[in-house]
Amino acid sequence: MAPTIWLFILSILKALTQGGIIPMKAMIGVDIGTTSTKAVAYDLQGNVQAYANISYPLYQDTPDTAEEDPEEIFSAVVEVLTQVTRKAALNPGDLQGVSFSAAMHSLILLDKDKQPLSRAITWADNRSAKYAQQLKENGLGEKLYQKTGTPIHPMTPLSKIMWLRHEKPELFKKAHYFIGIKDYVLYKIFGQLVMDYSLASATGLFNIHQMTWDAEALKTAGITAKQLPQLVDTTYQLHGLNSAYAKVTGIDANVPFVIGASDGVLSNLGVNAIDPGVLAVTIGTSGAVRTVVDKPTTDPQGRLFCYALTKDKWVIGGPVNNGGIVFRWVRDQLFAPEKITAEQMRVDTYEILTEIAEKIPAGSDGLLFHPYLGGERAPIWDANARGSFFGLTRQHTRAHMVRAALEGIVYNLYMVMLQIEGVAGKPKAIQATGGFARSELWRQMLADIFEQKVTIPQSFESSCLGAAVIGMLSLDLVDDLSAVKSMVGSTNVHQPNPANFSVYRELIPIWIRVGRAMASEYANIANFQRTHLAAHRNTKMGADIEQNNNSNS
C-alpha cells in the first residue's frame, strides 16, 4: 500500500478513535541512541500513531574521547515521552505500556548516593585501547570472550573500567556503581538499579552461558557484582512511575514500563529478522550485520558478538564504525562546493552524489577504498585502523571515489557476513535498513556484492518497534515475537545482478589482501596522528590565549 494512502487511512482511524468510536490501544517504544532519543507510539498492530526525536551532543574533547551528558539524555527521554504522548492524543487507559531500547556499551560511574561522577562513556570512546590490546596479547581476552560473547575492544565497559582503574585511580576509587545509560534513566524514574540481560551481554562482564556476572571478568575489571545493577530479563516490568514525571509526561503512574533490550537486537526484531538464516544489514551513521540463533554462540576467532534478545533468541553478528559517516565525509571533504550549492537549492546532496556514482561501473575501475575513518570494530577489531584509497590512477575521478567509498562500506559488511556464515551457515535472505536503504544504488550494490536478494522492510524506527513488540510480549498483548511479521511489510526488493558478480568476485580478495598488508602499520600511523594532533592543538590553544591577552591589554 502506498505510504500516502496508508497515512490517509491512519488519519481517519485516529479521528474515529479520538471521537470514542474505536478503542486505540497503544504501546510506546523508546530508543536511547548515541546522538538522539526517539519515541514512537504504535497501535497493537504496529501502525505508527506519533513520533518524537530529541538530539544531544557527543563530547569529543580528544580524538579518542566520545562522551555524553547523562542529564541531557535523561531530559531528552522525558521530552520525547511528553511529546509522543501529546501527539498521539490517547484516551485514558489507551496506553498499555512503555518499552525501551538503548545503545550498547555505555558506562557511567555513580557515587555512594547514586549520583553521576562522570559523563556517559560511549561505545565510540577509544581511550581504553591499550587495555583491550593487553587482553588480546596475554590470552585472557580470548578466554573471557568465549564466556561473555563480547569481542575484546575499547568499546566494552570491561576495557573502560580497566582504563579508569589504571589511568583515573581517584575517580575509580570514588565510584560505588558502574552502570549504563538506560540503567540511569530508569533509576531516575523508578528508583531501581536494574540492567537487562541484553545490555549486560554487551558489557564483557556477563557470562552468557550462566546468565550471571562473570567472576573472572569482574576480577579483571577490579570490581564486584555488588557494584553492578541487578540483572533482569528483557521482559522485566517496572511499576509506579514517579509522580513528578507522570505529571510532566502525561503518562498515568500505573502504566507499566518494560525494560526491553539493546538497540541492535531490537532492530533485528523490528525488521522481522528473527528466523534462522535471515540476515539484518543496517547502515546508519555506523552499521551492523546480525542474525538470530537459538542459543549462545561464539566465534572460535573471537570476531562476532553474541547478545541476548530473549533467553531462547540470541543475536550474533558484527558492528562496524564506518557506515553513513563515511558517505558524510565524502560529501563534506570531497564535494564541499556541491554541498553548498545543493543546500542553497534545497536539494539532497546525497542524492546528487548517488547519481554521480551511478555513472561509474561496478568495481570503480579498480579503485578500492578501506573505510576505516574511525578505527574499526568488525570485521578487523582494530581501533587504530585508518582509511585509504588503493589503486588510484590519473584516469580516476571524484566520481570514482564516491562509488569506491560506497563499495568499500559494503565490502566491509560482506566480510562480517562471511564470519557469520562460518558460525551460523549461509544466509537465506537479507533485510536491509538504515539511512542507506533510501538509496536504490546502495540497495542494488548490497545485493550484487552479497549475491543475495535484498528486501527493505516497511517498518518505522525498527529499534523502537522492536522495543514495543517485546513490551507487548511482556504484557501478554501478543503470544510471541513472531507477531512482528504482521507488522512489517516490504517497500523494495532487489535481486542480485549476475553481470556484476565477476567484477566483485575478483576485487573482493584484492581488497582483503590489501587491508591485511596495511594492518601492521595502523598502530604506527595512529600513534603519529595522536602525537602530532595533540601538539597542533596545544600550539593553537597557546596562540589563541596569546591573541586574547594581546587584545585585552
Side-chain angles (χ1 to χ4, degrees), residues 199-240:
L199 282 172
S201 63
T203 61
L205 301 167
F206 177 78
N207 191 306
I208 59 176
H209 307 288
Q210 299 175 358
M211 301 296 285
T212 188
W213 297 117
D214 185 79
E216 189 169 18
L218 295 180
K219 181 180 178 181
T220 303
I223 61 174
T224 68
K226 292 181 180 179
Q227 293 178 280
L228 296 169
Q230 174 191 347
L231 291 166
V232 297
D233 202 348
T234 53
T235 55
Y236 180 81
Q237 298 176 16
L238 298 101
H239 296 270

Side-chain angles (χ1 to χ4, degrees), residues 120-331:
I121 307 174
T122 73
W123 62 268
D125 193 292
N126 278 327
R127 286 174 292 176
S128 63
K130 171 183 174 182
Y131 299 95
Q133 188 61 33
Q134 287 178 1
L135 289 176
K136 289 181 179 180
E137 291 174 353
N138 64 21
L140 180 57
E142 171 60 21
K143 184 178 179 182
L144 292 177
Y145 164 75
Q146 294 300 336
K147 295 198 293 180
T148 67
T150 306
I152 302 302
H153 189 270
M155 69 181 182
T156 65
L158 167 62
S159 298
K160 293 182 174 82
I161 294 172
M162 291 175 65
W163 168 72
L164 286 163
R165 181 158 60 95
H166 290 94
E167 305 286 339
K168 307 280 185 181
E170 294 304 316
L171 177 62
F172 180 82
K173 289 176 183 177
K174 293 179 183 177
H176 282 243
Y177 303 96
F178 298 84
I179 69 171
I181 186 58
K182 184 165 69 171
D183 319 332
Y184 180 72
V185 167
L186 294 178
Y187 172 75
K188 293 266 289 186
I189 298 175
F190 290 97
Q192 294 185 49
L193 206 53
V194 290
M195 179 182 284
D196 62 80
Y197 289 137
S198 181
L199 282 172
S201 63
T203 61
L205 301 167
F206 177 78
N207 191 306
I208 59 176
H209 307 288
Q210 299 175 358
M211 301 296 285
T212 188
W213 297 117
D214 185 79
E216 189 169 18
L218 295 180
K219 181 180 178 181
T220 303
I223 61 174
T224 68
K226 292 181 180 179
Q227 293 178 280
L228 296 169
Q230 174 191 347
L231 291 166
V232 297
D233 202 348
T234 53
T235 55
Y236 180 81
Q237 298 176 16
L238 298 101
H239 296 270
L241 176 62
N242 181 294
S243 58
Y245 298 120
K247 183 177 181 180
V248 169
T249 61
I251 296 174
D252 189 283
N254 294 317
V255 170
F257 278 50
V258 178
I259 193 167
S262 66
D263 54 358
V265 303
L266 288 176
S267 180
N268 263 59
L269 176 59
V271 299
N272 187 29
I274 57 173
D275 291 332
V278 179
L279 206 65
V281 178
T282 304
I283 302 185
T285 302
S286 56
V289 184
R290 303 177 299 268
T291 194
V292 172
V293 293
D294 59 6
K295 61 182 179 181
T297 304
T298 55
D299 170 33
Q301 298 183 49
R303 301 165 300 180
L304 301 175
F305 59 66
C306 180
Y307 300 148
L309 174 55
T310 62
K311 288 181 179 179
D312 58 356
K313 286 191 181 294
W314 295 77
V315 176
I316 62 170
V320 301
N321 291 355
N322 300 285
I325 197 168
V326 172
F327 202 10
R328 183 189 304 170
W329 174 82
V330 170
R331 179 196 68 181

Side-chain angles (χ1 to χ4, degrees), residues 57-67 119 122 124-125 325 537:
L58 183 68
Y59 296 97
Q60 297 180 285
D61 302 332
T62 71
D64 286 330
T65 302
E67 297 180 329
R119 289 173 176 167
T122 73
D125 193 292
I325 197 168
R537 189 165 50 251

